[in-house]
Amino acid sequence: MTGLEHRLLAGAYARLPTDFYAPQVPTPLPQPYLIAFNPDLGEQLGLPAAPGPRDIDTLCGNHVPARVRPLAAVYAGHQFGVYVPQLGDGRALLLGDIIDADGNRHELQLKGAGRTPFSRGADGRAVLRSTIREYLASEALHGLGIPSTRALAIVGSDQPVYRERIETAAVLARLAPSHVRFGSFEYFHYQGRDAQVRALADFVIDGHFPAFTGHQDRHARLLDAVVERTAHLVAAWQAQGFVHGVMNTDNMSILGLTLDYGPYGFLDHFEAVRVFNHTDRHGRYAYANQGRIALWNLHALAQALSSLIDAPRREAALERFEPLFVGAYGALMRRKLGLRQPQAEDAELVDSLLHALQDGRADYPAFLRRLGAFRPHDADTRRPLLALSRTPQAIDAWLDAYSARLSRETDSAEARQADMDAANPLYVLRTHLAERAIRLATDQQQYDEIERLRQLLARPFSPQPGAEAYAEPPPADAGDIVLSCSS
Ligand code: AMP
Ligand code: MG
């Protein structure tokens, strides 16, 4: 099997004119060592099960194969609703492309590979803590079947990096078919560079939506596709209790992938207004706002494409968002509740459940997973659900309504439970679990817990022997953790 060094190709993105990026070589990482390697993704890419020294050097940017031309892409974006005319890869480099076993092309990015022309005075590095968070979350979302950039490896170093305190540097190797963002289009649009907007849209269409290539209305179809993918993406986040935390337009993928993990979190107890990002004082990126914000961001994208698509057609594309989002979320929640025959009142049943969970601070993933074992006529199956709530009578009342609703289903309880178990993860990347893996890595140089979690999260629906504790809600004294944006 050939190592990464021999598999990397010059990136397709590098064939665009240099309006779109700055050529940039990585800054060497002193005395690198491997912290994590994702063997599942490695296998899909046809890489050896463990990277050799040369590949470790490639994964952190210390070795750049002769064929590739690393670059930092330029983009802009609306951050917390405010337009910032120039952002760009300030600490990520697109090293090159790699073709996987199925013939699909992926961009390989190194995040934390040093300064670029877009670093804006910052150091171009990532700290080990944040690379572990991104590594685990990418694989957790992928394990849940939610589109995401993927994480291949983390390479660490003892090099100090200054954040709120001194930490150490690491490079995350991540992959995606494309890292183009809504903000990539905004950058050119707001400078009036319509030819570049068109060139970038055609580049994305040719590479990722080839069915639209050559069509007169291809740009409108691209917008339709992004609306649809984004609606499905955010509906899936909502259903699985994921909060991205910083849905700025520069963090929104044109392919509808979860992109740029920072102060994200998964809900433990259900709380609609839960905010994980401690700089988000007004809750713009709170859990329950994510659908609205996705639409706001799509409006920003549509505006950036206004030289290519006329206003009525843009409006028509955007109008599809809400029905798509509501429909996708409803379908996912029905699956989670084991309701196979859709009924008009199902949305109401979901809504009343969320209220009951919120009132009693009940754990969202544990409740839904346990609900699969609920049998309307067996009081013993009610207890583990009531035990999760501080207001069990509200849950009790909801279970009565749910029982009535189940009586209109025709499948056996066992078939329903199997369905529900495939929709409600047993293992979730809860903040306290991620924090423990991070502490072991940063304080004790023990990296096994990262791989342990990755394995559980890669198959989150299947019980794994010895992992019972990972399926439990956080200990009562864990408290609500808010996360720093600095990474
Ligand atoms: P984020 O909020 O992580 O998506 O980053 C927003 C912008 O800040 C992007 O343009 C990043 O490239 C840039 N950035 C974040 N951290 C750093 C860093 N340590 N060094 C240079 N640029 C950074
Ligand atoms: Mg970003």
Side-chain angles (χ1 to χ4, degrees), residues 75 79 87-88 90-91 119-120 122-125 163 251 260:
Y75 50 84
Q79 298 189 314
L87 294 162
R91 54 162 166 179
S119 300
R120 298 182 298 164
D123 60 12
R125 287 298 184 197
R163 294 291 181 265
N251 293 336
D260 277 10

Side-chain angles (χ1 to χ4, degrees), residues 238 241-243 245 265-278 280-290 292 354-355 357-359 361 480-482:
Q238 296 305 103
F242 177 76
V243 184
F266 280 88
L267 297 180
D268 295 303
H269 66 272
F270 186 85
E271 187 185 0
V273 297
R274 183 77 163 92
V275 174
F276 283 91
N277 180 346
H278 81 166
D280 184 9
R281 282 194 197 85
H282 303 290
R284 180 179 173 91
Y285 299 137
Y287 169 77
N289 257 355
Q290 296 189 111
R292 221 176 329 212
L354 299 184
H355 275 105
L357 293 175
Q358 174 156 299
D359 290 347
R361 283 181 68 90
D480 276 0
I481 302 174
V482 281

Side-chain angles (χ1 to χ4, degrees), residues 83 99 116 144 197 223 226 283 298 368 377 398-399 413 443 451:
Y83 186 62
I99 311 235
T116 80
L144 290 167
V197 173
L223 182 59
V226 182
L298 286 162
L368 285 166
H377 303 294
W398 184 83
L399 288 171
D443 301 356
E451 175 58 12

